[in-house]
Amino acid sequence: MKANLVLTTKNYAIIKELEIDIEYLPRIGEIIQFETEFSDTDEFFIYDIIHKLTNKLIPTIKAREWFNGDRYVELSQNGWLSY
């Protein structure tokens, strides 16, 4: 399956947009680790998934720079988990 991947800085400025092949759609809160660094880090936190409909449904995964924070706190602050 094809997907669009949008990598952003911690302040959500776009670093790079890629079209990738994926075997499954990752979930919000998962960490993507790259072999090549696109910014100051090689890890990105998935914070949004949007499905765009053109002539077919294509997922767009948005991920921002991740600097070894606390995923539980991050997910809670954004309303994905309750305390």
Side-chain angles (χ1 to χ4, degrees):
M1 165 174 34
K2 295 272 187 202
N4 295 318
L5 177 62
V6 179
L7 303 176
T8 67
T9 65
K10 195 149 177 103
N11 295 321
Y12 303 101
I14 295 175
I15 297 171
K16 192 165 188 76
E17 295 184 49
L18 306 164
E19 184 177 285
I20 59 173
D21 289 315
I22 57 174
E23 295 177 16
Y24 73 96
L25 191 60
R27 296 173 293 174
I28 290 174
E30 290 187 306
I31 303 292
I32 299 173
Q33 187 175 43
F34 289 91
E35 291 180 358
T36 304
E37 288 190 23
F38 292 107
S39 66
D40 294 337
T41 183
D42 63 347
E43 293 186 330
F44 289 81
F45 176 86
I46 297 174
Y47 69 89
D48 198 9
I49 298 173
I50 300 168
H51 298 274
K52 293 185 179 179
L53 181 60
T54 54
N55 58 348
K56 56 183 169 177
L57 201 59
I58 299 173
T60 297
I61 304 162
K62 293 184 178 182
R64 70 172 190 213
E65 293 175 315
W66 184 251
F67 295 102
N68 297 325
D70 186 332
R71 284 182 16 172
Y72 180 81
V73 171
E74 184 80 23
L75 292 169
S76 296
Q77 288 175 344
N78 288 292
W80 295 311
L81 297 175
S82 59
Y83 284 101

Coordinates of all heavy atoms in Angstrom, one line a residue:
M1 N 0.8 -1.2 0.0 CA 0.0 0.0 0.0 C 0.9 1.2 0.0 O 1.9 1.3 0.6 CB -0.9 0.0 1.2 CG -1.6 1.3 1.6 SD -2.8 1.3 2.9 CE -2.3 0.2 4.1
K2 N 0.5 2.3 -0.7 CA 1.2 3.5 -0.7 C 0.7 4.5 0.3 O -0.5 4.4 0.7 CB 1.0 4.2 -2.1 CG 1.6 3.5 -3.2 CD 3.1 3.9 -3.4 CE 3.6 3.3 -4.7 NZ 5.0 3.1 -4.7
A3 N 1.5 5.3 0.9 CA 1.1 6.3 1.8 C 2.0 7.5 1.7 O 3.1 7.4 1.2 CB 1.2 5.8 3.3
N4 N 1.5 8.7 2.1 CA 2.3 9.9 2.1 C 2.8 10.0 3.6 O 2.0 9.8 4.5 CB 1.5 11.1 1.7 CG 1.1 11.0 0.3 OD1 1.8 10.6 -0.6 ND2 -0.2 11.4 0.0
L5 N 4.0 10.5 3.7 CA 4.6 10.7 5.1 C 5.1 12.1 5.1 O 5.9 12.5 4.3 CB 5.7 9.7 5.3 CG 6.5 9.9 6.6 CD1 5.6 9.7 7.8 CD2 7.7 8.9 6.7
V6 N 4.6 12.9 6.1 CA 5.0 14.3 6.3 C 5.8 14.3 7.6 O 5.3 14.1 8.6 CB 3.8 15.2 6.3 CG1 4.2 16.7 6.5 CG2 2.9 15.1 5.1
L7 N 7.1 14.7 7.5 CA 7.9 14.8 8.6 C 8.0 16.3 9.0 O 8.3 17.2 8.1 CB 9.3 14.3 8.3 CG 9.4 12.8 7.9 CD1 10.8 12.5 7.5 CD2 8.8 11.9 9.0
T8 N 7.8 16.6 10.3 CA 7.8 18.0 10.7 C 8.8 18.2 11.9 O 9.2 17.2 12.6 CB 6.4 18.5 11.2 OG1 6.0 17.8 12.3 CG2 5.4 18.3 10.1
T9 N 9.1 19.4 12.2 CA 9.9 19.8 13.4 C 9.0 19.7 14.6 O 7.8 19.5 14.4 CB 10.5 21.2 13.3 OG1 9.4 22.1 13.3 CG2 11.3 21.4 12.1
K10 N 9.6 19.9 15.7 CA 8.8 19.8 17.0 C 7.7 21.0 17.0 O 6.7 20.9 17.6 CB 9.7 20.0 18.2 CG 9.0 19.6 19.5 CD 10.0 19.0 20.5 CE 9.3 18.7 21.7 NZ 8.9 17.4 22.0
N11 N 8.0 22.0 16.2 CA 7.0 23.1 16.1 C 6.2 23.0 14.8 O 5.6 24.0 14.4 CB 7.8 24.5 16.0 CG 8.5 24.7 17.3 OD1 8.0 24.4 18.4 ND2 9.7 25.2 17.3
Y12 N 6.2 21.8 14.2 CA 5.3 21.5 13.1 C 5.6 22.2 11.7 O 4.8 22.2 10.8 CB 3.8 21.7 13.4 CG 3.4 21.0 14.6 CD1 3.3 21.6 15.9 CD2 3.1 19.6 14.6 CE1 2.9 20.9 17.0 CE2 2.7 18.9 15.7 CZ 2.6 19.6 16.9 OH 2.2 18.9 18.0
A13 N 6.9 22.6 11.6 CA 7.3 23.1 10.3 C 7.7 21.9 9.4 O 8.4 21.0 9.9 CB 8.5 24.1 10.4
I14 N 7.3 21.8 8.2 CA 7.6 20.7 7.4 C 9.0 20.5 7.0 O 9.7 21.5 6.5 CB 6.7 20.7 6.1 CG1 5.2 20.6 6.4 CG2 7.1 19.6 5.1 CD1 4.3 20.7 5.3
I15 N 9.6 19.4 7.3 CA 11.0 19.1 7.0 C 11.1 18.4 5.6 O 11.9 18.8 4.8 CB 11.6 18.1 8.0 CG1 11.7 18.8 9.4 CG2 13.0 17.7 7.6 CD1 12.1 17.8 10.5
K16 N 10.2 17.4 5.4 CA 10.3 16.6 4.2 C 8.9 15.9 4.0 O 8.3 15.5 5.0 CB 11.4 15.6 4.3 CG 11.7 14.9 3.0 CD 13.1 14.2 3.2 CE 13.6 13.6 1.9 NZ 14.1 14.5 1.0
E17 N 8.5 15.7 2.8 CA 7.3 14.9 2.4 C 7.8 13.8 1.5 O 8.5 14.0 0.6 CB 6.3 15.8 1.7 CG 5.7 16.9 2.6 CD 4.6 17.7 1.9 OE1 3.7 17.1 1.4 OE2 4.7 18.9 1.9
L18 N 7.3 12.6 1.9 CA 7.7 11.4 1.1 C 6.5 10.6 0.7 O 5.5 10.6 1.4 CB 8.6 10.5 2.0 CG 9.8 11.1 2.7 CD1 10.3 10.2 3.8 CD2 10.9 11.3 1.6
E19 N 6.7 9.8 -0.4 CA 5.7 8.8 -0.7 C 6.4 7.5 -0.4 O 7.5 7.2 -0.9 CB 5.3 8.8 -2.1 CG 4.2 7.8 -2.5 CD 3.7 7.9 -3.9 OE1 3.0 8.9 -4.2 OE2 4.1 7.0 -4.7
I20 N 5.7 6.6 0.5 CA 6.3 5.4 0.9 C 5.4 4.2 0.7 O 4.2 4.4 0.5 CB 6.7 5.5 2.4 CG1 5.5 5.8 3.3 CG2 7.8 6.5 2.6 CD1 5.7 5.7 4.8
D21 N 6.0 3.0 0.6 CA 5.2 1.8 0.6 C 5.2 1.3 2.0 O 6.2 1.2 2.8 CB 6.0 0.7 -0.2 CG 5.9 1.0 -1.7 OD1 4.8 1.4 -2.2 OD2 6.9 0.9 -2.4
I22 N 4.0 0.9 2.5 CA 3.8 0.4 3.8 C 3.0 -0.9 3.8 O 2.2 -1.2 2.9 CB 3.1 1.4 4.8 CG1 1.7 1.8 4.2 CG2 3.9 2.6 5.0 CD1 0.9 2.6 5.1
E23 N 3.3 -1.8 4.8 CA 2.6 -3.1 4.9 C 1.4 -2.9 5.8 O 0.4 -3.7 5.6 CB 3.6 -4.1 5.4 CG 4.7 -4.5 4.5 CD 5.7 -5.5 5.0 OE1 5.3 -6.1 6.0 OE2 6.8 -5.6 4.5
Y24 N 1.4 -2.0 6.7 CA 0.3 -1.7 7.6 C 0.3 -0.2 7.9 O 1.4 0.4 7.8 CB 0.4 -2.6 8.9 CG 1.4 -2.1 9.8 CD1 1.1 -1.3 10.9 CD2 2.7 -2.5 9.7 CE1 2.1 -0.9 11.8 CE2 3.7 -2.1 10.6 CZ 3.4 -1.3 11.6 OH 4.3 -0.9 12.5
L25 N -0.8 0.3 8.4 CA -0.9 1.7 8.7 C -0.5 1.8 10.2 O -1.1 1.2 11.1 CB -2.3 2.2 8.5 CG -2.5 3.7 8.6 CD1 -1.7 4.4 7.6 CD2 -4.0 4.0 8.4
P26 N 0.5 2.6 10.5 CA 0.9 2.8 11.9 C -0.1 3.5 12.7 O -1.0 4.2 12.1 CB 2.2 3.5 11.8 CG 2.2 4.2 10.5 CD 1.4 3.3 9.6
R27 N -0.1 3.5 14.0 CA -1.0 4.1 14.9 C -0.4 5.4 15.5 O 0.8 5.5 15.6 CB -1.5 3.2 16.0 CG -2.2 2.0 15.5 CD -2.5 1.0 16.6 NE -1.2 0.5 17.0 CZ -1.0 -0.3 18.1 NH1 -2.0 -0.7 18.8 NH2 0.2 -0.7 18.4
I28 N -1.3 6.3 15.8 CA -0.9 7.5 16.5 C -0.2 7.1 17.8 O -0.6 6.2 18.5 CB -2.1 8.5 16.8 CG1 -2.6 9.0 15.5 CG2 -1.7 9.6 17.8 CD1 -3.9 9.8 15.6
G29 N 1.0 7.8 18.1 CA 1.8 7.5 19.3 C 2.9 6.6 19.0 O 3.8 6.5 19.8
E30 N 3.0 5.9 17.8 CA 4.1 5.1 17.5 C 5.3 6.0 17.1 O 5.1 7.1 16.6 CB 3.8 4.1 16.4 CG 2.8 3.0 16.9 CD 2.6 1.9 15.8 OE1 2.2 2.3 14.7 OE2 2.8 0.8 16.2
I31 N 6.5 5.4 17.2 CA 7.7 6.1 16.9 C 8.3 5.5 15.6 O 8.3 4.2 15.5 CB 8.8 6.0 18.0 CG1 8.3 6.5 19.3 CG2 10.1 6.7 17.6 CD1 8.0 8.0 19.4
I32 N 8.6 6.3 14.6 CA 9.3 5.8 13.4 C 10.8 6.2 13.5 O 11.1 7.3 13.9 CB 8.7 6.6 12.2 CG1 7.2 6.3 12.0 CG2 9.5 6.2 10.9 CD1 6.6 7.2 10.9
Q33 N 11.6 5.2 13.3 CA 13.1 5.4 13.3 C 13.7 5.2 11.9 O 13.4 4.2 11.3 CB 13.7 4.5 14.3 CG 15.2 4.8 14.5 CD 15.8 3.9 15.6 OE1 15.5 2.7 15.7 NE2 16.6 4.5 16.5
F34 N 14.4 6.2 11.5 CA 15.0 6.2 10.2 C 16.5 5.8 10.3 O 17.2 6.1 11.2 CB 14.9 7.5 9.5 CG 13.5 7.9 9.1 CD1 12.7 8.6 9.9 CD2 13.1 7.5 7.8 CE1 11.4 8.9 9.5 CE2 11.8 7.9 7.4 CZ 11.0 8.6 8.3
E35 N 17.0 5.2 9.2 CA 18.4 4.9 9.1 C 19.2 6.2 8.7 O 20.4 6.3 9.0 CB 18.7 3.8 8.1 CG 18.2 2.4 8.6 CD 18.5 1.3 7.6 OE1 19.0 1.6 6.5 OE2 18.1 0.2 7.9
T36 N 18.5 7.1 8.0 CA 19.1 8.3 7.6 C 18.5 9.5 8.4 O 17.2 9.5 8.5 CB 18.8 8.6 6.1 OG1 19.3 7.4 5.3 CG2 19.4 9.8 5.6
E37 N 19.3 10.4 8.8 CA 18.7 11.5 9.6 C 18.2 12.6 8.6 O 18.9 13.0 7.7 CB 19.8 12.1 10.5 CG 20.0 11.2 11.7 CD 20.9 11.9 12.8 OE1 20.9 13.2 12.8 OE2 21.5 11.2 13.6
F38 N 17.0 13.1 8.8 CA 16.4 14.2 8.1 C 16.5 15.5 8.8 O 16.3 16.5 8.3 CB 14.9 13.9 7.7 CG 14.7 12.7 6.8 CD1 14.2 11.5 7.3 CD2 15.1 12.9 5.5 CE1 14.1 10.5 6.4 CE2 14.9 11.8 4.6 CZ 14.4 10.6 5.0
S39 N 16.8 15.4 10.1 CA 16.9 16.6 11.0 C 17.9 16.3 12.1 O 18.8 15.5 11.9 CB 15.5 16.9 11.5 OG 15.1 15.9 12.4
D40 N 17.7 16.9 13.2 CA 18.5 16.7 14.4 C 18.3 15.3 15.0 O 19.1 14.9 15.9 CB 18.3 17.7 15.5 CG 18.7 19.1 15.0 OD1 19.5 19.2 14.1 OD2 18.2 20.1 15.5
T41 N 17.3 14.6 14.6 CA 17.0 13.3 15.2 C 16.7 12.3 14.1 O 16.3 12.7 13.0 CB 15.9 13.4 16.2 OG1 15.6 12.1 16.8 CG2 14.6 13.9 15.5
D42 N 16.7 11.0 14.4 CA 16.3 10.0 13.4 C 15.0 9.4 13.8 O 14.5 8.5 13.2 CB 17.4 8.9 13.2 CG 17.7 8.2 14.5 OD1 17.2 8.6 15.6 OD2 18.3 7.1 14.4
E43 N 14.4 9.9 14.9 CA 13.1 9.4 15.4 C 12.0 10.4 15.3 O 12.2 11.6 15.5 CB 13.2 8.9 16.8 CG 14.1 7.7 17.0 CD 14.1 7.2 18.4 OE1 13.9 8.0 19.4 OE2 14.3 6.0 18.6
F44 N 10.8 9.9 14.8 CA 9.7 10.8 14.6 C 8.4 10.1 15.3 O 8.2 8.9 15.2 CB 9.4 11.0 13.1 CG 10.4 11.9 12.5 CD1 11.7 11.4 12.1 CD2 10.2 13.3 12.3 CE1 12.6 12.2 11.5 CE2 11.1 14.1 11.8 CZ 12.3 13.6 11.4
F45 N 7.6 11.0 16.0 CA 6.4 10.6 16.7 C 5.2 10.8 15.8 O 5.0 11.9 15.3 CB 6.3 11.5 17.9 CG 5.1 11.3 18.8 CD1 5.1 10.3 19.7 CD2 4.0 12.1 18.6 CE1 4.0 10.1 20.5 CE2 2.9 11.9 19.4 CZ 2.9 10.9 20.4
I46 N 4.4 9.8 15.5 CA 3.2 9.9 14.7 C 2.2 10.6 15.5 O 1.7 10.1 16.6 CB 2.7 8.5 14.2 CG1 3.8 7.9 13.3 CG2 1.4 8.7 13.5 CD1 3.5 6.5 12.9
Y47 N 1.7 11.8 15.0 CA 0.7 12.6 15.7 C -0.6 12.7 15.0 O -1.6 13.2 15.6 CB 1.3 13.9 16.1 CG 1.5 14.9 15.0 CD1 0.5 15.7 14.5 CD2 2.7 15.0 14.4 CE1 0.7 16.6 13.5 CE2 2.9 15.8 13.3 CZ 1.9 16.7 12.9 OH 2.1 17.5 11.8
D48 N -0.7 12.3 13.7 CA -1.9 12.4 13.0 C -1.9 11.5 11.8 O -0.8 11.3 11.2 CB -2.1 13.9 12.5 CG -3.5 14.2 12.1 OD1 -4.4 13.4 12.3 OD2 -3.7 15.3 11.6
I49 N -3.1 11.0 11.4 CA -3.2 10.2 10.2 C -4.5 10.7 9.5 O -5.5 10.7 10.1 CB -3.3 8.7 10.5 CG1 -2.0 8.2 11.1 CG2 -3.6 7.9 9.2 CD1 -2.1 6.8 11.6
I50 N -4.3 11.1 8.3 CA -5.5 11.6 7.5 C -5.6 10.8 6.2 O -4.6 10.4 5.6 CB -5.2 13.1 7.1 CG1 -5.0 14.0 8.3 CG2 -6.3 13.6 6.1 CD1 -4.5 15.3 7.9
H51 N -6.8 10.4 5.8 CA -7.0 9.7 4.6 C -7.5 10.7 3.6 O -8.6 11.3 3.7 CB -8.0 8.6 4.8 CG -7.6 7.6 5.8 ND1 -6.8 6.5 5.5 CD2 -7.7 7.5 7.2 CE1 -6.5 5.8 6.6 NE2 -7.0 6.4 7.6
K52 N -6.8 10.8 2.5 CA -7.2 11.7 1.4 C -7.8 10.9 0.3 O -7.2 9.9 -0.1 CB -6.0 12.5 0.9 CG -5.4 13.5 1.9 CD -4.3 14.3 1.3 CE -3.8 15.3 2.4 NZ -2.7 16.1 1.9
L53 N -8.9 11.4 -0.2 CA -9.6 10.7 -1.3 C -9.4 11.5 -2.6 O -9.8 12.7 -2.7 CB -11.1 10.6 -1.0 CG -12.0 9.9 -2.0 CD1 -11.5 8.5 -2.2 CD2 -13.4 9.9 -1.6
T54 N -8.7 10.9 -3.5 CA -8.6 11.4 -4.9 C -9.4 10.5 -5.8 O -10.6 10.4 -5.6 CB -7.1 11.6 -5.3 OG1 -6.5 10.4 -5.1 CG2 -6.4 12.7 -4.5
N55 N -8.7 9.7 -6.5 CA -9.4 8.6 -7.2 C -9.4 7.3 -6.4 O -10.0 6.3 -6.7 CB -8.9 8.3 -8.6 CG -7.4 8.0 -8.6 OD1 -6.7 8.2 -7.6 ND2 -6.9 7.6 -9.7
K56 N -8.6 7.3 -5.3 CA -8.6 6.2 -4.3 C -8.2 6.8 -3.0 O -7.7 7.9 -2.9 CB -7.7 5.1 -4.7 CG -6.3 5.4 -5.0 CD -5.5 4.2 -5.5 CE -4.2 4.5 -6.0 NZ -3.4 3.3 -6.4
L57 N -8.4 6.1 -1.9 CA -8.1 6.5 -0.6 C -6.6 6.3 -0.3 O -6.1 5.2 -0.3 CB -8.9 5.8 0.4 CG -9.2 6.4 1.8 CD1 -9.9 7.7 1.7 CD2 -10.0 5.4 2.6
I58 N -5.9 7.4 0.0 CA -4.5 7.4 0.3 C -4.2 8.0 1.7 O -4.5 9.1 2.0 CB -3.6 8.2 -0.7 CG1 -3.9 7.6 -2.1 CG2 -2.2 8.2 -0.4 CD1 -3.2 8.3 -3.2
P59 N -3.6 7.2 2.6 CA -3.3 7.7 4.0 C -2.2 8.7 3.9 O -1.2 8.5 3.2 CB -3.0 6.5 4.8 CG -2.6 5.4 3.8 CD -3.3 5.8 2.5
T60 N -2.3 9.7 4.7 CA -1.2 10.7 5.0 C -0.8 10.6 6.4 O -1.7 10.8 7.3 CB -1.6 12.1 4.6 OG1 -1.8 12.1 3.2 CG2 -0.4 13.1 4.9
I61 N 0.4 10.2 6.7 CA 0.9 10.0 8.1 C 1.7 11.3 8.4 O 2.6 11.6 7.7 CB 1.8 8.8 8.2 CG1 1.0 7.5 7.7 CG2 2.3 8.6 9.6 CD1 1.9 6.4 7.4
K62 N 1.4 11.9 9.5 CA 2.1 13.1 10.0 C 2.9 12.7 11.2 O 2.4 12.2 12.2 CB 1.2 14.3 10.2 CG 0.5 14.8 9.0 CD -0.3 16.0 9.3 CE -0.9 16.6 8.1 NZ -1.7 17.8 8.4
A63 N 4.2 13.0 11.2 CA 5.1 12.6 12.3 C 6.1 13.8 12.5 O 6.5 14.4 11.6 CB 5.9 11.4 11.9
R64 N 6.3 14.1 13.8 CA 7.2 15.2 14.2 C 8.5 14.7 14.9 O 8.4 13.5 15.4 CB 6.5 16.2 15.0 CG 6.1 15.8 16.3 CD 5.6 17.0 17.1 NE 5.5 16.5 18.5 CZ 4.6 16.9 19.3 NH1 3.8 17.8 19.0 NH2 4.6 16.5 20.6
E65 N 9.5 15.5 14.9 CA 10.7 15.1 15.6 C 10.5 14.6 17.0 O 9.6 15.2 17.7 CB 11.7 16.3 15.7 CG 12.2 16.8 14.3 CD 13.0 18.0 14.5 OE1 12.6 19.0 15.2 OE2 14.0 18.1 13.8
W66 N 11.2 13.6 17.4 CA 11.0 13.0 18.7 C 12.4 13.0 19.4 O 13.4 12.5 18.9 CB 10.5 11.6 18.6 CG 10.2 11.0 19.9 CD1 10.9 9.9 20.5 CD2 9.2 11.3 20.8 NE1 10.4 9.6 21.7 CE2 9.3 10.5 21.9 CE3 8.1 12.3 20.8 CZ2 8.4 10.5 23.0 CZ3 7.3 12.3 21.9 CH2 7.4 11.5 23.0
F67 N 12.4 13.6 20.6 CA 13.7 13.7 21.3 C 13.6 12.9 22.7 O 13.8 13.5 23.7 CB 14.1 15.1 21.6 CG 14.4 15.9 20.3 CD1 13.4 16.7 19.8 CD2 15.6 15.7 19.6 CE1 13.7 17.4 18.6 CE2 15.8 16.4 18.4 CZ 14.9 17.2 17.9
N68 N 13.2 11.6 22.6 CA 13.2 10.8 23.8 C 12.3 11.3 24.9 O 12.7 11.3 26.1 CB 14.6 10.4 24.3 CG 15.4 9.6 23.2 OD1 14.8 8.8 22.5 ND2 16.7 9.9 23.1
G69 N 11.2 11.8 24.6 CA 10.2 12.3 25.6 C 9.5 11.1 26.2 O 9.7 10.0 26.0
D70 N 8.4 11.5 27.0 CA 7.6 10.5 27.6 C 6.3 10.3 26.8 O 5.5 11.2 26.7 CB 7.2 11.0 29.0 CG 6.4 9.9 29.8 OD1 5.7 9.1 29.2 OD2 6.5 10.0 31.1
R71 N 6.2 9.2 26.1 CA 5.1 9.0 25.2 C 3.8 9.0 25.9 O 2.8 9.5 25.4 CB 5.2 7.7 24.4 CG 6.3 7.7 23.3 CD 6.4 6.5 22.6 NE 5.3 5.5 22.7 CZ 5.2 4.4 22.0 NH1 6.1 4.1 21.1 NH2 4.2 3.6 22.2
Y72 N 3.7 8.5 27.1 CA 2.4 8.5 27.8 C 2.0 9.9 28.1 O 0.8 10.3 27.9 CB 2.6 7.7 29.2 CG 1.3 7.7 30.0 CD1 0.3 6.8 29.7 CD2 1.1 8.7 31.0 CE1 -0.9 6.8 30.4 CE2 -0.1 8.7 31.7 CZ -1.1 7.7 31.4 OH -2.3 7.8 32.1
V73 N 2.9 10.8 28.5 CA 2.5 12.2 28.8 C 2.1 12.9 27.5 O 1.1 13.6 27.4 CB 3.7 12.9 29.4 CG1 3.5 14.4 29.5 CG2 4.0 12.4 30.8
E74 N 2.8 12.6 26.4 CA 2.5 13.2 25.1 C 1.1 12.8 24.6 O 0.3 13.7 24.2 CB 3.6 12.8 24.1 CG 3.4 13.4 22.7 CD 4.0 14.8 22.6 OE1 4.8 15.2 23.4 OE2 3.5 15.5 21.7
L75 N 0.8 11.6 24.7 CA -0.5 11.1 24.3 C -1.6 11.6 25.2 O -2.7 12.0 24.7 CB -0.5 9.5 24.3 CG 0.4 8.9 23.3 CD1 0.5 7.4 23.5 CD2 -0.2 9.1 21.9
S76 N -1.3 11.7 26.5 CA -2.3 12.3 27.4 C -2.6 13.7 27.2 O -3.8 14.2 27.2 CB -1.9 12.1 28.9 OG -1.8 10.7 29.2
Q77 N -1.6 14.5 27.0 CA -1.7 16.0 26.8 C -2.5 16.3 25.5 O -3.1 17.3 25.4 CB -0.4 16.6 26.7 CG 0.3 16.7 28.0 CD 1.7 17.3 28.0 OE1 2.3 17.4 26.9 NE2 2.3 17.7 29.1
N78 N -2.4 15.4 24.5 CA -3.1 15.6 23.2 C -4.5 14.9 23.2 O -5.1 14.8 22.2 CB -2.3 15.1 22.1 CG -1.1 16.0 21.8 OD1 -1.3 17.2 21.4 ND2 0.1 15.6 22.1
G79 N -4.9 14.4 24.4 CA -6.3 13.8 24.5 C -6.4 12.4 23.9 O -7.5 11.9 23.8
W80 N -5.3 11.7 23.6 CA -5.4 10.3 23.1 C -5.5 9.3 24.3 O -5.8 8.2 24.0 CB -4.2 10.0 22.2 CG -4.1 10.9 21.0 CD1 -5.2 11.1 20.1 CD2 -3.0 11.6 20.5 NE1 -4.8 11.9 19.1 CE2 -3.5 12.2 19.3 CE3 -1.7 11.8 20.9 CZ2 -2.6 13.0 18.5 CZ3 -0.9 12.6 20.1 CH2 -1.4 13.2 19.0
L81 N -5.1 9.7 25.5 CA -5.3 8.9 26.7 C -5.9 9.7 27.8 O -5.8 10.9 27.8 CB -3.9 8.4 27.2 CG -3.1 7.5 26.3 CD1 -1.7 7.2 26.9 CD2 -3.8 6.2 26.0
S82 N -6.6 9.0 28.7 CA -7.1 9.8 29.9 C -6.2 9.4 31.1 O -5.6 8.3 31.1 CB -8.5 9.4 30.1 OG -8.7 8.0 30.4
Y83 N -6.1 10.3 32.0 CA -5.2 10.1 33.2 C -5.8 9.1 34.0 O -6.9 8.9 34.2 CB -5.0 11.4 33.9 CG -4.0 12.3 33.3 CD1 -4.4 13.4 32.5 CD2 -2.7 12.1 33.4 CE1 -3.5 14.2 31.9 CE2 -1.7 12.9 32.8 CZ -2.2 14.0 32.1 OH -1.3 14.8 31.5

